[in-house]
Amino acid sequence: NIIMKNEPASKLFNGKVITGVLRGKPLIEKIYFRLVGILGFSPFKGTMDIQLDEEMDIEACATKAVEHKFIDGTLHRDCWLAPIILHVRDEKYECWAMQQVDGIYPKNIVEIIAKDKLRDKFDLKDGDIVKVEFTSDKEKGGPRGTQHKRGKTPLAIFRKKRK
């Protein structure tokens, strides 16, 4: 017998906009060109931090990662990237949530990467409540320009090769 797991198509969290440790700009600048290649767009050079109402390890729904291989073949992963829909008031905005593998934040804080400066676009301030919707369909690959030509995300292909 085959047991099918009924997982929801997405996970929706309440979140609160917070000011983090103010390292979003230098972090995005450091990996900017890698992000352009991975995500398929030029992100705003900064992040918006959101404190979720519960912990979320985004590796479970991440479709991409910032990673590199060392000369000896070992893989180093800096962070996981998961496609999200940010719900602000009555608007929805597709963007990406990031969690560093060995980051300084607890699992209930995510950094948001987007084309726009989200605080300005939606007039957000610390303490404002938003909703963060994580999609769990890895095969879709996330917002805009992220589908691999073979129909799978590069991370899904990489994981299949490793098994």
Side-chain angles (χ1 to χ4, degrees):
N1 291 351
I2 297 174
I3 298 172
M4 300 289 285
K5 223 170 127 180
N6 290 332
E7 290 189 20
S10 62
K11 294 178 182 179
L12 188 63
F13 293 86
N14 290 316
K16 179 172 56 172
V17 176
I18 62 169
T19 296
V21 294
L22 303 175
R23 63 173 179 86
K25 182 178 180 179
L27 176 64
I28 297 299
E29 285 178 341
K30 179 180 174 185
I31 59 174
Y32 180 79
F33 292 106
R34 292 170 69 195
L35 285 173
V36 170
I38 293 168
L39 301 178
F41 67 87
S42 298
F44 169 74
K45 291 185 179 175
T47 61
M48 183 174 76
D49 296 345
I50 297 179
Q51 181 178 6
L52 304 175
D53 58 354
E54 59 186 275
E55 288 193 349
M56 171 62 175
D57 186 348
I58 71 170
E59 178 183 355
C61 58
T63 59
K64 305 204 176 292
V66 176
E67 57 194 9
H68 54 274
K69 269 190 181 176
F70 291 114
I71 293 173
D72 67 1
T74 57
L75 182 71
H76 175 77
R77 184 170 293 115
D78 293 314
C79 58
W80 292 107
L81 301 167
I84 65 165
I85 298 172
L86 183 66
H87 299 255
V88 181
R89 299 172 196 99
D90 294 329
E91 295 186 58
K92 294 180 182 181
Y93 185 86
E94 291 183 336
C95 48
W96 291 85
M98 175 180 70
Q99 268 182 349
Q100 291 187 299
V101 173
D102 296 318
I104 59 171
Y105 288 131
K107 296 290 184 191
N108 69 327
I109 295 179
V110 294
E111 296 178 83
I112 307 301
I113 299 172
K115 288 182 176 182
D116 302 297
K117 184 175 182 180
L118 297 175
R119 283 181 179 260
D120 290 350
K121 180 174 181 66
F122 295 109
D123 191 30
L124 291 169
K125 297 170 185 55
D126 281 1
D128 286 349
I129 302 300
V130 297
K131 291 188 184 297
V132 179
E133 181 179 353
F134 289 87
T135 60
S136 61
D137 188 353
K138 290 188 176 201
E139 295 304 312
K140 286 188 179 175
R144 292 184 284 289
T146 56
Q147 187 77 11
H148 192 274
K149 64 183 175 184
R150 287 182 274 180
K152 296 190 179 214
T153 64
L155 187 56
I157 292 167
F158 171 76
R159 284 185 174 152
K160 187 174 182 177
K161 287 180 182 177
R162 286 184 58 200
K163 288 183 180 180

